[in-house]
Amino acid sequence: MLDTLTIDVQPAGTSRLAELDLANLEFGKSFADHMLAVEYRDGEWQQPRIMPYGPLAISPANSALHYGQAIFEGAKAYRQADGSVALFRPLDNWRRLNASAERMAMPTIPEDIYLQGLRELVKLDSGWVPSAAGSSLYIRPYMFATDGFLGVRPSETYHFGIITCPVAAFFNKPVRVRFEQKYVRAAPGGAGYAKNAGNYGAAMLPSKLAQQEGYHQLLWTDASEHQYVEESGAMNVMFVIDGTLITPELSTSILDGITRRSVLQLAHDWGMPVEERRVSSREVVAAIQDGRLTEAFGVGTAATIAAIATIGHEGHDYDLPALADTSFARRVGAELEAIRTGHTADPHNWMVAV
Ligand SMILES: *Cc1c(COP(=O)(O)O)cnc(C)c1O
């Protein structure tokens, strides 16, 4: 390894920023001027490069395409009250990327390549970080196998990259979800805790079927009994029942969300009772019927907090009360936004300046 990391920067000749329609940002569609690219070969990561955003060339025999060694992360950078730009918990994403890499027999990324690469990239494209309420620069780190080889074994070469895109607030309307009790997202001992591309591919058909029934998302349940809540789409899920914040405990089939962790931390800080444990669909439905369930919401980087309006279970739709401004979900969403934009203190040092 190099003692001091240097990044080779090839700036874009002209910025595309002027073409961006800030009033109509669609998630994941417009990308900032630059991207980070680092190749792994001969057992080590090579010199990181920042270059104009553009296509990559791969072999038709690329083993990520055929056998799925492909992982990613999702993070955000925020415009601060003082005009500067800061990253939210970037090292948590770095650690989770490496946990995903280990699960998929891929090489881990050194901290300096990840953090310095990310900082330099976001600094260079800081003009792309929007400032409207709820908006941010979405950051997509990813790694995939690059061997052009059809033999089934871990690739010997990889590409690690980071691309970014300005985004507005994600879900605007409260979502309709239903328990999924036939298809499975992840099973114990599988790769559900890793952020690997294949988990998403296999979730698309069941999600599409639910969308055809008028739901936005699924509430995944456990693989063996189809009873216990796991998560919802690309979000962890939380309930407030009898004033206690309840969320499924982590396992090999649940993704360890950084938003989940942050929301649980704030709940602890505020003295709210928290339970991380198994939650069954029956418990959720019974608590809705008894009026003891006051809030249900998804938590994740893209949406931050996505209020759940309706939960479908065994052919019945259960409507939840609208979230009041005084609800935990609304308060924690506002607090996270204030921390991320530098409008309030950051007692856990979550923000890292670029
Ligand atoms: C990324 C992701 C989440 C949310 O994680 P955050 O770190 O909060 O963005 C939840 N579930 C799945 C399946 C995910 O891929």
Side-chain angles (χ1 to χ4, degrees):
M1 275 308 303
L2 306 162
D3 284 347
T4 45
L5 180 70
T6 54
I7 297 177
D8 179 38
V9 181
Q10 182 200 334
T14 49
S15 174
R16 291 177 283 99
L17 185 54
E19 297 159 25
L20 184 70
D21 181 3
L22 272 170
N24 292 294
L25 287 179
E26 195 181 324
F27 180 84
K29 209 167 177 188
S30 308
F31 297 94
D33 288 325
H34 298 90
M35 63 185 191
L36 177 81
V38 199
E39 308 300 333
Y40 181 90
R41 62 172 178 271
D42 304 327
E44 58 186 9
W45 290 101
Q46 308 295 311
Q47 161 110 50
R49 290 170 300 150
I50 289 175
M51 61 183 86
Y53 178 90
L56 303 171
I58 54 166
S59 158
N62 172 285
S63 58
L65 292 180
H66 294 271
Y67 307 125
Q69 273 189 303
I71 59 176
F72 65 97
E73 271 302 321
K76 281 180 172 174
Y78 296 84
R79 181 70 62 190
Q80 304 295 290
D82 66 3
S84 65
V85 173
L87 306 163
F88 181 68
R89 306 190 75 166
L91 290 179
D92 291 59
N93 290 100
W94 166 69
R95 280 185 208 98
R96 189 172 65 191
L97 182 77
N98 282 345
S100 299
E102 279 172 12
R103 179 63 183 81
M104 303 304 287
M106 299 164 78
T108 56
I109 283 272
E111 179 180 331
D112 59 348
I113 292 182
Y114 187 93
L115 193 60
Q116 204 174 315
L118 175 58
R119 273 174 141 158
E120 286 201 26
L121 179 69
V122 173
K123 204 181 285 176
L124 190 60
D125 283 335
S126 60
W128 289 79
V129 183
S131 52
S135 70
S136 56
L137 186 73
Y138 183 79
I139 296 164
R140 171 53 62 91
Y142 60 105
M143 191 201 299
F144 62 95
T146 51
D147 280 6
F149 176 63
L150 292 182
V152 180
R153 54 130 175 86
S155 180
E156 287 168 358
T157 61
Y158 294 87
H159 177 98
F160 170 66
I162 304 180
I163 53 177
T164 67
C165 48
V167 293
F170 195 59
F171 291 112
N172 299 311
K173 281 185 273 174
V175 293
R176 293 169 53 82
V177 301
R178 79 155 161 72
F179 284 105
E180 176 58 65
Q181 300 191 293
K182 174 182 170 196
Y183 293 101
V184 165
R185 190 193 82 90
Y193 71 91
K195 227 171 159 75
N196 67 304
N199 289 342
Y200 280 77
M204 285 191 189
L205 173 67
S207 302
K208 187 174 128 188
L209 295 174
Q211 279 158 16
Q212 286 167 352
E213 297 164 25
Y215 300 98
H216 299 100
Q217 290 282 357
L218 292 172
L219 270 180
W220 294 104
T221 55
D222 71 285
S224 34
E225 293 173 64
H226 304 300
Q227 279 306 322
Y228 296 97
V229 184
E230 299 238 302
E231 48 188 313
S232 181
M235 295 183 293
N236 295 108
V237 61
M238 300 190 170
F239 306 95
V240 177
I241 300 178
D242 289 329
T244 296
L245 181 64
I246 301 172
T247 194
E249 66 194 342
L250 295 177
S251 71
T252 53
S253 57
I254 294 183
L255 194 109
D256 181 0
I258 295 162
T259 318
R260 174 186 183 279
R261 222 182 276 168
S262 307
V263 168
L264 293 179
Q265 179 67 57
L266 292 176
H268 281 295
D269 293 354
W270 294 347
M272 173 139 182
V274 172
E275 293 176 7
E276 294 179 63
R277 60 163 171 84
R278 299 211 295 180
V279 193
S280 71
S281 55
R282 285 200 199 93
E283 175 183 2
V284 169
V285 168
I288 297 173
Q289 287 175 319
D290 297 350
R292 292 181 299 113
L293 187 151
T294 49
E295 306 180 28
F297 51 96
V299 300
T301 295
T304 302
I305 306 284
I308 295 175
T310 302
I311 301 183
H313 182 244
E314 294 177 351
H316 291 88
D317 280 348
Y318 298 89
D319 290 324
L320 305 184
L323 288 180
D325 286 343
T326 52
S327 63
F328 173 75
R330 290 278 179 249
R331 285 186 296 122
V332 84
E335 181 70 9
L336 274 175
E337 172 79 4
I339 293 172
R340 286 164 162 171
T341 54
H343 284 91
T344 194
D346 173 22
H348 302 289
N349 298 314
W350 285 338
M351 303 310 295
V352 174
V354 300

